[in-house]
Amino acid sequence: MKKTESNNLLNLHGIKFYRSGTPILDGIDFQINSGEHWVLLGRNGAGKTTLVNLIYGSVWPTAGRINLFGETFGETPLQILRNKIGILDSSQQESALQKSLTVYDVLLTGFFHTIGFYRESNAWEEKEAERILEENGFGAKRNQLFRTLSSGEKKKILFLRAMCTSPEFVILDEPCSGLDLTAREEFIDFLDEYKKNRNFTSIYITHRIDEIPPFYEHAALLKSGKILFSGEIKEAFSSARLSDLYDRKVEAENRNGTWVAVTERK
């Protein structure tokens, strides 16, 4: 394995991605340091999901280089890198999960880095799954079918599933999609409480600034496959930058840790 000289956890260098000759990502340079929490903010179709798929190794860049955990993609077996990543992508995970899985089963699959059961669990994994459910208020729902949970509960279990192996890097891809206001706020509170006693690095992908947990302090703005800005979240959320990102006048306010976007109606 060839290690990079950088101490950054993630480095994207000159990333380009074309689909059928159309540029989806065009010249992405971006980096995340260990222990940082980043928001990737962009409108629908900006290229956010493609960028996530590149970071996870689901697709390969047309041009450019990806370094993760000091290793260069293409020079290190991807599974070695994926084993250090936790991912919550409910749009794909919920539909792919086997319908007969209980809450306990779904959490247990996180130790396998698979969506379903493809091997026997061991005693340590089973004990850990029990502990995680109990510590996070889901002990009583252990044997309930996952598909019968509320939307908010499903998101929480999928997050715990992503975190069960204590990954070094966590990807949260549109985690609040499909949640009503109450469920969304409960999920964000759940993330914020979970973070208080744990150290990890993460990237949170969204198109709404009011869905961002309060502990996120960095942001990258993605528009039409290009990074408009990356840096401190307060700088990213200036009126000029957000107005450019959304193509309309936007003012951002932080109200007790919650970002709020104020727009002018036409």
Side-chain angles (χ1 to χ4, degrees), residues 233-245:
I233 199 167
K234 292 180 180 179
E235 295 182 48
F237 289 176
S238 70
S239 176
R241 291 190 175 105
L242 288 181
S243 298
D244 185 9
L245 181 72

Side-chain angles (χ1 to χ4, degrees), residues 217-246:
E217 298 180 344
H218 301 83
L221 309 183
L222 185 67
K223 180 179 182 180
S224 301
K226 296 184 178 181
I227 298 287
L228 294 181
F229 176 84
S230 64
E232 296 290 328
I233 199 167
K234 292 180 180 179
E235 295 182 48
F237 289 176
S238 70
S239 176
R241 291 190 175 105
L242 288 181
S243 298
D244 185 9
L245 181 72
Y246 290 112

Side-chain angles (χ1 to χ4, degrees), residues 57-71:
S58 300
V59 295
W60 208 253
T62 305
R65 187 173 75 255
I66 301 174
N67 303 119
L68 185 62
F69 309 124
E71 309 289 349

